[in-house]
Amino acid sequence: MSELKLCQGPECHTYTTKDRLKGMKDNKTYQTRRRSSMYYGSGNFCSMQCYNDWAETFIDRAVDHFGRLTEPKHLNENNAWTKGYDWDSDYTNRLYVYRNGITKEQRSLTKEQFDDTNYTLNER
Ligand SMILES: [Zn+2]
């Protein structure tokens, strides 16, 4: 059996749904949800409400911690490559391509390059 994770929503236990009411007969309390998998916020939250509650509480500190932008980023020909694919003429095989959003240049990719999250033509 997989391990249960706790929802990270700071208010999760305050939403009085039946599934959150846990405990022995005369000692039930509303509790933070536990699940083997959750769909929101990279698997950390049981609902969008809990995700939003976390963001309301912690987002400023999180942005400051990981680096707040202080000037705009610029898209240019050196960082405008995005991966994508087309279909071949009988729509049976994917043709992987890198497309430059500025120059509109296209280059072929192998499936391995497409799947490799570290492979990029963009300057870092
Ligand atoms: Zn929750």
Side-chain angles (χ1 to χ4, degrees):
M1 188 178 151
S2 62
E3 200 164 309
L4 297 177
K5 295 173 17 173
L6 286 167
C7 172
Q8 296 301 301
E11 306 299 327
C12 191
H13 65 289
T14 68
Y15 300 115
T16 55
T17 59
K18 280 184 183 171
D19 71 296
R20 287 178 171 99
L21 191 57
K22 304 273 184 186
M24 300 301 281
K25 207 174 187 180
D26 300 324
N27 198 19
K28 289 185 186 285
T29 57
Y30 290 101
Q31 299 179 15
T32 300
R33 277 181 171 152
R34 271 177 256 239
R35 299 259 170 91
S36 56
S37 67
M38 289 179 258
Y39 298 113
Y40 305 96
S42 299
N44 287 298
F45 302 95
C46 73
S47 67
M48 278 305 293
Q49 180 66 61
C50 284
Y51 188 17
N52 289 335
D53 290 343
W54 185 92
E56 283 288 316
T57 306
F58 298 112
I59 198 75
D60 281 332
R61 283 193 272 165
V63 170
D64 286 336
H65 178 79
F66 293 107
R68 185 174 292 274
L69 284 183
T70 56
E71 55 190 61
K73 292 179 166 186
H74 297 267
L75 186 67
N76 61 48
E77 64 189 41
N78 298 318
N79 65 9
W81 292 99
T82 57
K83 292 177 180 177
Y85 60 85
D86 293 322
W87 294 96
D88 64 1
S89 55
D90 56 359
Y91 294 93
T92 51
N93 295 302
R94 285 181 179 183
L95 305 170
Y96 297 98
V97 292
Y98 236 136
R99 295 186 184 101
N100 191 299
I102 298 296
T103 64
K104 307 303 178 196
E105 182 185 350
Q106 285 201 56
R107 295 184 193 173
S108 294
L109 280 173
T110 65
K111 182 170 186 338
E112 289 69 33
Q113 289 169 329
F114 181 84
D115 292 338
D116 182 352
T117 55
N118 290 314
Y119 182 82
T120 182
L121 296 176
N122 289 317
E123 288 180 359
R124 299 197 190 214

